[in-house]
Amino acid sequence: MFENRLVKVFRHLRKIARKQGVTCYRVYDNDLTEFPLCIDIYENSLYVAEYKKEHNLSEQEYEEWQDRAIEIMSKVLEIPVENIHLKERKRKENRQDQYEKISFEQQDFTVHEGSLKFKVNLSDYLDTGLFLDHRITRHMVREMSEGKHVLNLFCYTGSFSVYAAAGGAASVTSVDLSKTYLSWAEDNMKLNDLYEPSKHHYVHADVLQYLESLKLNTFDLVVVDPPTFSNSKRMKEFLDIQRDHVDILNNILLATKPGGTIIFSNNYRKFKLDYDAIKASSIKDITAQTIPFDFSGGKMIRHCFKLVK
């Protein structure tokens, strides 16, 4: 059953990926309840997340089920077993989970997205370093960045920053609470020959505190992709994106030049934007137009908005 499903979806998605020149994409996401897996192709490697779910198998039966699933993935997706990285994935309530190492294999390698390159790590962290669902959003940012002063908040490994710099941004400021990910963002800039410390800056800070320090009318384009919740000890305050999004966006708008744009995304399933309380001249829900082919069909749980000051 699993093999038949995987053959069918892979045949379809691989055709689209080749046509679009995409080498990293999602091929399966919990399609069958008996196989609660999320499978992402990163060129010649697989990142497989097993969603935490109750099962009635003994330990030996479970290991046999897992081994068989890996054999099928290797066969159908034409990827060697040794290049398959399997993780248990729980619903993240805290961005801090993303920062914590879960392995120390240090198997970094480079993948391509269009003309750009990114460092990924499928073994050591809960996330890989490149969120595949924002592929289209990143292209949008690149097209909007020429000559602009760009701010990337909760920047993670800086993929939006790379796209902004590649799009000819006058400057890119990347802000994150993790020194590990800021260093990774610098690595991604270097991979693409875009590392210019005089133009592009990396700020280690609690974003909520950083926003309070910004000067008025500083940035032309801001990208903000916060966690749903975060209670890191390094943060001054507990973050709840549903509760806090109005204050966050209004503070960002103060730092945005008149006519400037904010791209705001989050992954909270039940998120509702408070349009009336946000002091933007226009707000557009661009979720549908930013969902790539491999995340269509209603399984992608995230929201994306374009705000203009």
Side-chain angles (χ1 to χ4, degrees), residues 160-219:
F160 278 113
S161 300
V162 170
Y163 268 86
S171 71
V172 182
T173 301
S174 306
V175 186
D176 203 277
L177 190 60
S178 167
K179 289 182 180 179
T180 297
Y181 286 130
L182 283 173
S183 176
W184 198 326
E186 292 184 67
D187 289 344
N188 280 331
M189 285 289 211
K190 290 171 184 174
L191 268 177
N192 293 280
D193 298 321
L194 295 168
Y195 186 70
E196 297 181 67
S198 61
K199 288 176 58 176
H200 307 314
H201 315 290
Y202 310 87
V203 181
H204 175 233
D206 171 354
V207 169
L208 301 185
Q209 292 182 57
Y210 177 77
L211 287 175
E212 296 173 5
S213 71
L214 288 178
K215 294 179 181 178
L216 299 177
N217 306 324
T218 304
F219 295 98

Side-chain angles (χ1 to χ4, degrees), residues 228-283:
T228 299
F229 301 101
S230 184
N231 59 356
S232 167
K233 293 176 183 177
R234 289 174 289 170
M235 289 185 69
K236 182 180 176 182
E237 299 172 4
F238 169 73
L239 172 66
D240 176 333
I241 197 57
Q242 182 61 68
R243 180 195 67 196
D244 299 332
H245 77 278
V246 170
D247 287 342
I248 290 171
L249 291 171
N250 282 335
N251 282 337
I252 294 171
L253 282 162
L254 289 174
T256 306
K257 294 178 183 178
T261 301
I262 299 169
I263 302 296
F264 167 54
S265 176
N266 75 81
N267 289 70
Y268 181 40
R269 184 184 297 265
K270 300 177 182 178
F271 182 77
K272 300 292 182 185
L273 190 78
D274 189 346
Y275 285 83
D276 294 336
I278 297 168
K279 300 170 183 176
S281 64
S282 71
I283 302 174

Side-chain angles (χ1 to χ4, degrees), residues 39-185:
I39 306 172
D40 292 335
I41 293 175
Y42 284 83
E43 298 190 353
N44 195 39
S45 295
L46 277 191
Y47 175 80
V48 183
E50 182 183 344
Y51 292 107
K52 192 173 183 181
K53 189 177 179 182
E54 293 296 325
H55 58 75
N56 298 316
L57 302 176
S58 67
E59 189 172 335
Q60 182 177 342
E61 288 171 334
Y62 174 71
E63 288 180 0
E64 290 173 354
W65 170 87
Q66 202 173 68
D67 289 344
R68 180 64 181 135
I70 289 172
E71 286 176 15
I72 291 169
M73 287 184 269
S74 176
K75 172 187 171 186
V76 174
L77 304 178
E78 301 169 9
I79 288 178
V81 169
E82 59 268 23
N83 288 5
I84 298 177
H85 302 267
L86 179 64
K87 304 278 175 59
E88 180 183 87
R89 192 173 193 88
K90 297 173 284 188
R91 182 177 294 177
K92 281 187 298 180
E93 298 296 339
N94 183 347
R95 176 64 72 96
Q96 187 65 15
D97 294 342
Q98 167 188 299
Y99 292 148
E100 292 177 359
K101 275 204 166 191
I102 56 177
S103 177
F104 292 88
E105 297 177 35
Q106 296 183 322
Q107 294 184 8
D108 299 337
F109 62 97
T110 300
V111 296
H112 301 77
E113 190 171 84
S115 61
L116 300 175
K117 295 179 281 189
F118 296 92
K119 183 177 87 170
V120 298
N121 183 312
L122 308 189
S123 59
D124 293 358
Y125 300 90
L126 186 61
D127 291 312
T128 65
L130 185 66
F131 292 129
L132 303 183
D133 63 291
H134 270 307
R135 191 183 308 121
I136 292 173
T137 325
R138 286 190 282 270
H139 282 282
M140 288 175 58
V141 166
R142 181 175 187 167
E143 291 171 359
M144 298 166 63
S145 292
E146 187 172 2
K148 304 289 179 64
H149 293 283
V150 180
L151 175 63
N152 184 8
L153 299 169
F154 303 99
C155 74
Y156 187 41
T157 60
S159 58
F160 278 113
S161 300
V162 170
Y163 268 86
S171 71
V172 182
T173 301
S174 306
V175 186
D176 203 277
L177 190 60
S178 167
K179 289 182 180 179
T180 297
Y181 286 130
L182 283 173
S183 176
W184 198 326

